[in-house]
Amino acid sequence: MVVMVLEKVPRSLRGELTRWLLELDTGVFVGRVSAVVRELLWEKVVEKAGDGRCAMAWRTNNEQGFALRLHGYQDRVLRDFDGIVLVSVRTAEALRKAEKLKRIAKAVRGDFENQTSE
Amino acid sequence: MPPVPPARNLKELPKFRDGLSYLYVEHAFIEQEAQGIGIYDREGLTLVPVAALGVLFLGPGTRITHAAIRALAGNGCTVCWVGEGYARFYAQGLGDTRSALRLQRQARAWADPGLHLEVVYRLYEKRFQEPLPRDFSLEQVRGLEGVRVRAAYARWSRETGVPWKGRSYDRRDWAASDPVNRALSAGAAYLYGLAHAAIVSAGFSPALGFIHTGKLLSFVYDVADLYKTEVLVPAAFLAAAEGDLEVERRVRHRLREQIQEARLLERMVEDLLDLFQGLGLPEEAKEEEEDPTRPGGLWDPEGEVEGGVAYGGDGPGEGAEELEG
């Protein structure tokens, strides 16, 4: 089972995908293809996506039961938590919190250095 | 040993086994995010499928909000703080079951010397491929077990080429151990956390151990020991074989692979239930909880009497509030 989500990609690419997959909704493709075909389709998608974005999920035998791939996303990345893959989004709130985390880490390090020098 | 009855009505069994085993997070804020759990760190906001998660391990530099803990507990996710040297601080939400029936069976088996011994034998028996000779004394069984564990270390040392000089660790100096011993200690922390989550999820007590006794996590050690040579030893040796650096991170990855290969999430709860099956204790026939908010019973030497009923009034069935009011 493969699911692909394509946004802002050329119409011709979407048309090409319908030869293998079923377009459930605009830009949402579902189907069952072999691993080789899946990889070739992904290569084609990445090559022809232009400034668009594509995401792919497919069923596989790991703990989660599926694997993921992203291309062309500005604010989303896949994160591997020691074998569990989750999606991280860079929101304004997240960036603010990351800054705060950095400040805390620096303060903790400062404290530690003060302690050891005493 | 009686064969395991195949048909069981266990609502919590599928839940634990279909889930994810564990997630390790460090240097992050963990907050409730639109009814879910969000991890904020350098990479951004990561939403966590928490209802499917067995254990959330929180490493150094994590801050978690009250709302997040409440959401985790509400989803039956165990939370462990893992610190320097992989000492564990546990927290637990209520398990997926609200019934105390299993805990009571565990307590009865624990308190009765004959049944206790039977459970100890069952625990040992689960670790061996062949059935244990029943005329063996516990001392002899412990001897066999020692041989089995040493053989597992030797086998994985041979297969991975990682030299093995015996299990050694210094509680006060983490870095002094060799990489494979560090991997074993770190991996054990995760395996214990997972066993803890399975025990709580199935409605047993982590404190009432059978082989191990006297600690609040004795039963956790009993259960985790069933799988140590099968999942932890290979994970630790494979992680150590990849190099010395960051062996604690790599063992988390390897352990997850071993857990999946061994179908551990599925087996843990099954094994737990097997331990107390067919001991002559009240069986799980009326285990099904149609209504988790139904009041529990009241103890009586003649047998349990119905709870949620005001006794001693003129009309039976009068509500307690009415009596007081």
Side-chain angles (χ1 to χ4, degrees):
Chain A
M1 175 90 170
V2 183
V3 178
M4 283 198 199
V5 180
L6 277 65
E7 272 182 90
K8 295 184 183 135
V9 298
R11 259 198 77 191
S12 61
L13 174 60
R14 282 178 31 214
E16 218 170 326
L17 279 183
T18 56
R19 286 198 243 155
W20 286 276
L21 306 171
L22 185 142
E23 193 166 16
L24 184 63
D25 194 354
T26 313
V28 180
F29 296 86
V30 186
R32 207 173 77 170
V33 293
S34 73
V36 178
V37 173
R38 184 188 68 228
E39 289 309 301
L40 290 172
L41 284 178
W42 181 251
E43 265 177 45
K44 191 186 286 285
V45 164
V46 167
E47 187 190 321
K48 299 197 173 174
D51 298 332
R53 299 181 298 199
C54 6
M56 176 166 78
W58 69 96
R59 154 106 206 106
T60 183
N61 187 26
N62 58 15
E63 197 184 305
Q64 279 177 297
F66 58 84
L68 301 169
R69 208 167 277 174
L70 294 181
H71 171 79
Y73 284 85
Q74 299 297 317
D75 58 343
R76 266 165 202 266
V77 284
L78 295 180
R79 288 277 299 285
D80 184 347
F81 286 83
D82 314 300
I84 296 267
V85 177
L86 300 175
V87 180
S88 287
V89 190
R90 283 174 207 270
T91 58
E93 173 77 355
L95 291 175
R96 200 178 58 74
K97 289 228 165 75
E99 279 303 310
K100 191 174 170 191
L101 212 61
K102 220 186 288 175
R103 281 202 307 277
I104 291 168
K106 206 178 280 176
V108 169
R109 223 173 12 247
D111 284 353
F112 183 70
E113 274 158 16
N114 285 342
Q115 273 173 16
T116 45
S117 62
E118 272 162 19
Chain B
M1 182 175 307
V4 182
R8 289 208 198 96
N9 191 351
L10 297 169
K11 282 195 230 159
E12 45 288 275
L13 189 66
K15 188 162 180 218
F16 191 72
R17 79 155 161 226
D18 294 339
L20 303 173
S21 50
Y22 56 82
L23 203 68
Y24 174 84
V25 179
E26 59 180 24
H27 301 292
F29 291 100
I30 295 123
E31 297 181 4
Q32 190 178 29
E33 185 67 39
Q35 301 301 310
I37 294 293
I39 300 171
Y40 285 96
D41 64 1
R42 293 177 318 267
E43 301 284 334
L45 164 64
T46 313
L47 296 173
V48 184
V50 76
L53 190 62
V55 203
L56 179 64
F57 287 101
L58 302 179
T62 48
R63 298 174 165 228
I64 188 160
T65 61
H66 179 277
I69 284 287
R70 195 184 50 208
L72 284 160
N75 283 291
C77 181
T78 300
V79 182
C80 298
W81 279 262
V82 189
E84 195 83 349
Y86 290 84
R88 300 172 308 281
F89 304 92
Y90 283 89
Q92 69 188 43
L94 278 172
D96 304 325
T97 173
R98 292 289 175 273
S99 159
L101 195 69
R102 288 186 184 158
L103 175 49
Q104 286 169 0
R105 296 174 74 209
Q106 182 189 5
R108 285 188 185 191
W110 185 87
D112 179 294
L115 296 181
H116 192 119
L117 183 65
E118 171 63 23
V119 175
V120 169
Y121 264 105
R122 288 181 179 192
L123 279 166
Y124 278 119
E125 210 151 41
K126 280 184 184 296
R127 309 182 198 191
F128 290 91
Q129 304 287 330
E130 305 92 40
L132 279 179
R134 269 299 154 131
D135 52 347
F136 266 37
S137 69
L138 256 191
E139 200 184 350
Q140 285 171 304
V141 174
R142 277 195 290 264
L144 275 185
E145 166 65 5
V147 171
R148 187 187 72 95
V149 172
R150 277 197 300 278
Y153 286 136
R155 182 192 148 205
W156 281 99
S157 171
R158 234 180 9 254
E159 285 198 13
T160 58
V162 173
W164 178 247
K165 299 184 212 69
R167 183 86 174 104
S168 66
Y169 48 91
D170 187 343
R171 267 177 239 272
R172 284 148 301 174
D173 191 0
W174 175 256
S177 306
D178 58 6
V180 68
N181 267 297
R182 277 200 332 263
L184 281 165
S185 302
Y190 296 105
L191 187 59
Y192 287 144
L194 194 61
H196 191 125
I199 288 167
V200 173
S201 167
F204 293 103
S205 159
L208 291 182
F210 287 79
I211 294 176
H212 300 83
T213 57
K215 297 278 182 188
L216 272 173
L217 298 179
S218 293
F219 198 46
V220 172
Y221 306 140
D222 280 359
V223 175
D225 275 358
L226 300 181
Y227 317 107
K228 264 190 184 162
T229 57
E230 190 183 348
V231 301
L232 176 61
V233 174
F237 274 90
L238 288 167
E242 287 173 6
D244 297 0
L245 262 179
E246 290 196 308
V247 73
E248 293 86 357
R249 182 179 60 77
R250 276 180 286 108
V251 81
R252 285 196 295 272
H253 201 284
R254 287 292 183 178
L255 191 61
R256 193 186 300 291
E257 283 172 16
Q258 298 293 333
I259 284 169
Q260 204 220 338
E261 202 171 302
R263 298 186 303 111
L264 211 59
L265 295 191
E266 202 174 326
R267 277 166 50 196
M268 269 185 165
V269 178
E270 271 175 17
D271 285 344
L272 273 167
L273 297 170
D274 284 355
L275 287 179
F276 306 106
Q277 209 60 243
L279 289 176
L281 294 171
E283 291 298 335
E284 300 209 357
K286 56 173 189 148
E287 176 73 1
E288 207 180 338
E289 289 175 90
E290 331 67 52
D291 179 11
T293 58
R294 201 167 55 90
L298 302 178
W299 184 84
D300 190 277
E302 305 296 323
E304 205 172 272
V305 297
E306 198 187 336
V309 177
Y311 292 95
D314 294 336
E318 254 182 297
E321 295 85 15
E322 278 177 85
L323 276 181
E324 279 163 14

